[in-house]
Amino acid sequence: MADRPRRSRLRRTLLAALVTFAVAVPVSGAARPDAVPAPAPTVLGPLRDASPAALEERYAVSRSDIRAAGRAADAHGDRTRADSLRAMAAAGRQFLSFDGRDGGRSVEVVGELSSARRIAVLVPGAGVGLDAYGRLRRDATALREELGEGTAVLAWLGYRSPATVSPAALTTGRAEEAAPGLRALVDEVRAVRPAARISLLCPSYGSVICARSASGTAADALVLYGSPGVGAESMAALRTGARVWAGRGGDDWIAHVPHVRARVPFVATVGFGTDPVAEEFGAEVFDAGDGGHSDYLLPGSRSLTNLARIVAGAEPLGASR
C-alpha cells in the first residue's frame, strides 16, 4: 500500500510532462489543415430516406461538393489536399455529406446502406482529417470486406480531429463538440433503417467521443479500443443501454499512457481516467490480438475478426468477460 501514492504521483507527473511537451512542440511549415479554403457545401438536411434513388442523389450532390473543394485547394496551392479530394470524388464513392471547411467533415458509406442489416459507424481518433483520409477509408473498407454482404460501414469524419501530439488530444473538449453530431447521425440511421443492428466502433480518441454520445444512443453496441480512457470512471457512468465492449492490442503503446485525470494549471483537466479494459470499468473485454495502435483493422488480424463479430451480433472469439 505504501507505494500506491508514489505511483499516483508518478502518473500525474508523467501526464503533466506530456502536456508540457505538447504545448512546447513548435508548429511550423505549411498552413494548418483547417486554413485551406473551401466553398460552403450544398445544404442537404438530415438523412430521411435510405432508398437507393434518394441515396444516389445525396451521393451525387456530395461528389460535386468534394470536387468544388478540390478546385479550391488546387487554387490555394495545397496539392496534398487537392489530391486527397480527387480520390474522394472518384466514381463509385458514396458520401452522405461533405464539408471541406475547418479541416473537413464527411460521412462516407462503404457498402449498401439501403439494404444493410448490420451497420458500423467508424469514429476516427486523433490525427485524421481530409489530408490523411485514406487511412480512414482503408479501415472502413477492410471492415466491410470482413463483414460481407448485407452490411454497411459509415466512416464518420464529423469533427476537427486533434493532432496526435497536442493539448487538444489530452482533453475532452473536441469530443464534447463532436458528440451531438455523432448522436444525431445514429438517430438518423436508426430512423431510416429501424431493424438494422448499429454498432459504434471507437478507436483511440474516438472512444472519448463515443463515450460523450453514449447516453441515450440508438446504437446497439459501443466498442472502445486502443483507448486512452473515455473521461468516465466506469461503464455505469456512460448511462447507456448499448452493450459496451473494450479491447487493446498487445503491442499498443496506449497501454503506457497514464490512465488518470488531473488539473493542470492554466491548461485544463487532462487525461481520461480509468482504462476501459480494466476490470473496474466494467466493460466486456474482447481479444484484440497482438497488434499496435494502428493495427486493429488490419486484414487477417484477430482484432478485425472480433470487431466484425461484434458488429454482426456474434460473440467475439476469446472474450474474457
Side-chain angles (χ1 to χ4, degrees), residues 60-85:
V61 171
S62 294
R63 189 175 301 116
S64 177
D65 287 340
I66 295 169
R67 288 172 176 160
R71 291 191 294 270
D74 254 333
H76 186 68
D78 192 318
R79 298 303 303 274
T80 298
R81 175 68 58 84
D83 289 347
S84 180
L85 292 171

Side-chain angles (χ1 to χ4, degrees), residues 116-144:
R117 301 182 302 277
R118 298 178 299 281
I119 299 168
V121 180
L122 184 56
V123 180
V128 179
L130 293 182
D131 294 340
Y133 186 82
R135 293 179 354 207
L136 182 58
R137 164 73 178 188
R138 176 201 65 196
D139 287 347
T141 300
L143 179 60
R144 172 58 170 72

Side-chain angles (χ1 to χ4, degrees), residues 169-258:
L170 299 172
T171 71
T172 61
R174 297 281 177 90
E176 289 164 359
E177 294 171 4
L182 178 59
R183 189 182 297 111
L185 174 67
V186 174
D187 286 346
E188 291 170 23
V189 173
R190 175 61 71 201
V192 298
R193 299 294 302 156
R197 174 180 170 81
I198 302 173
S199 301
L200 292 179
L201 268 58
C202 316
S204 194
Y205 191 83
S207 65
V208 187
I209 299 171
C210 288
R212 285 292 184 273
S213 71
S215 180
T217 184
D220 299 287
L222 184 67
V223 193
L224 315 170
Y225 55 101
S227 175
V230 298
E233 296 306 311
S234 68
M235 186 181 73
L238 300 181
R239 302 192 308 278
T240 184
R243 191 173 182 183
V244 180
W245 292 93
R248 186 175 65 225
D251 197 31
D252 190 341
W253 57 261
I254 205 77
H256 305 295
V257 171

